[in-house]
Amino acid sequence: MAGLTLTYVSLYIIIQYWKHPFFPVWELLTLFILIFALWLSEVFYFRAGVVFIFLFLITGFLIRILKIESYAKLLVASCLILANALISFRALQGAEILSAYMLFKNKYQFEEKNLNEWQNNGNKFWNSELEFGFELAEDFYFFNPSDLSFEEKTGAGQIAGLIASSDTDAERYPFIRIFYFPDYLGFTKEQAFGEFSSFLNIQTNKGILEDLQEIQQKEVIPNVVGSHFWTFYDPFRPRYAKTGFIVIETPKHDKILLHITENLEKDEIHEEGIRKILSSIRFAYSSESNE
């Protein structure tokens, strides 16, 4: 419905502008729609996006001053077509993200806990609800579940937090996403493999991952129930990287799934920052580390 409305409005503006060129109301409305579409598509996060809108405004201003009617008509029509494409793509992307989130969220019916109550002292974090803690490596940041988007929360289990290498982009790897499963579910490594394989299929179909290959590696952190990793080609970087999961068991027999995506390190199980975080994992409250 929203897409049809936007298409109708755009066609109406184009028709009216071709009848009455240089009418400021249609020009301002076109500019507003275009800027909204660019903002919605996060174009302004990149310097190139800011440069684009700056050059566009200068070009539009010159065409307006010189009264070049044919160029003005084409510019208005082009801007509205571009805005429609960007908004439609973003809406489709949002629907896919929400569908994936709901697909995993509804799979296990259990009462969710409040997992936002993380205590921290400097780079040391502890969650008394999970009886689970860790220490952040240098240049890593922690995000509470309440700080994450639907896409960042997507995965089996209840999201308990995310450790990322960026303080502004929680999806830039290396990162560790933390998911919780209560003990009564009896969550197994076989279920983890199935859920994670489904997640990777969605990512592959979206073109985020390419050339997915399973690899074997042995984890050295305590309380590991199971783990599995894949290498993949990242078409957006472009480079080869690694993703996978580790399932660990807490003293209360709850399960925690760590979804890890990181850069490939030759002759290393994990890259240095991830390795330091995993080696710092603890299952008992330490007054020394949290004073």
Side-chain angles (χ1 to χ4, degrees):
M1 185 64 182
L4 288 174
T5 302
L6 180 62
T7 301
Y8 174 79
V9 170
S10 298
L11 289 174
Y12 181 80
I13 293 173
I14 291 171
I15 292 170
Q16 293 301 316
Y17 194 77
W18 281 51
K19 289 180 180 178
H20 309 287
F22 304 113
F23 190 59
V25 172
W26 306 130
E27 292 172 341
L28 290 173
L29 190 55
T30 298
L31 181 61
F32 171 79
I33 293 173
L34 178 63
I35 290 177
F36 173 73
L38 293 172
W39 171 80
L40 192 65
S41 303
E42 299 181 348
V43 172
F44 296 129
Y45 281 89
F46 306 97
R47 184 176 298 177
V50 178
V51 173
F52 167 79
I53 194 65
F54 178 73
L55 294 176
F56 165 78
L57 289 174
I58 290 177
T59 302
F61 179 75
L62 290 174
I63 291 173
R64 188 72 167 73
I65 293 297
L66 297 174
K67 298 286 186 179
I68 308 175
E69 185 176 318
S70 58
Y71 283 7
K73 291 178 178 178
L74 287 174
L75 187 62
V76 167
S78 300
C79 288
L80 289 171
I81 291 171
L82 174 61
N84 270 268
L86 290 174
I87 293 173
S88 298
F89 173 77
R90 192 61 176 171
L92 179 61
Q93 189 181 50
E96 290 178 345
I97 290 170
L98 182 59
S99 297
Y101 172 74
M102 296 305 295
L103 172 67
F104 287 99
K105 179 179 174 60
N106 292 337
K107 188 165 289 187
Y108 294 95
Q109 300 295 328
F110 64 88
E111 184 179 354
E112 295 191 349
K113 297 183 177 182
N114 178 13
L115 301 180
N116 285 287
E117 302 299 326
W118 287 86
Q119 306 167 42
N120 76 289
N121 177 24
N123 62 346
K124 298 179 176 65
F125 286 76
W126 172 258
N127 190 302
S128 56
E129 190 70 51
L130 297 176
E131 293 189 0
F132 169 82
F134 60 86
E135 185 175 332
L136 284 180
E138 186 178 359
D139 296 326
F140 277 80
Y141 306 87
F142 180 73
F143 293 82
N144 265 310
S146 57
D147 300 326
L148 302 174
S149 66
F150 282 130
E151 188 169 16
E152 292 156 356
K153 291 179 181 179
T154 299
Q158 181 185 353
I159 187 75
L162 189 150
I163 303 168
S165 55
S166 169
D167 60 345
T168 57
D169 182 4
E171 293 188 294
R172 191 181 77 183
Y173 57 81
F175 65 72
I176 302 175
R177 296 196 301 157
I178 306 168
F179 290 94
Y180 158 77
F181 298 86
D183 64 325
Y184 57 81
L185 284 181
F187 190 70
T188 65
K189 61 182 179 181
E190 288 77 19
Q191 286 176 301
F193 179 83
E195 298 294 350
F196 204 82
S197 296
S198 298
F199 175 79
L200 292 180
N201 286 335
I202 292 174
Q203 300 294 89
T204 302
N205 292 335
K206 290 168 64 176
I208 297 174
L209 309 179
E210 295 180 2
D211 192 23
L212 205 62
Q213 301 290 335
E214 292 185 42
I215 59 173
Q216 300 295 324
Q217 65 181 46
K218 184 175 177 60
E219 300 299 331
V220 295
I221 63 173
N223 296 43
V224 173
V225 174
S227 66
H228 209 98
F229 280 83
W230 294 256
T231 60
F232 68 92
Y233 180 73
D234 184 344
F236 298 101
R237 298 264 172 143
R239 68 179 65 165
Y240 276 91
K242 183 172 69 174
T243 190
F245 67 86
I246 301 173
V247 178
I248 57 180
E249 186 173 349
T250 71
K252 293 194 296 186
H253 306 294
D254 295 330
K255 302 295 192 305
I256 293 176
L257 184 149
L258 304 175
H259 167 202
I260 301 171
T261 299
E262 58 185 319
N263 300 294
L264 280 174
E265 291 287 339
K266 187 177 180 180
D267 300 325
E268 294 288 350
I269 299 176
H270 299 288
E271 62 176 288
E272 184 179 3
I274 297 294
R275 188 170 64 250
K276 287 182 177 179
I277 293 170
L278 293 178
S279 64
S280 73
I281 288 176
R282 64 189 188 279
F283 302 96
Y285 182 83
S286 170
S287 59
E288 289 183 4
S289 61
N290 290 279
E291 284 179 351

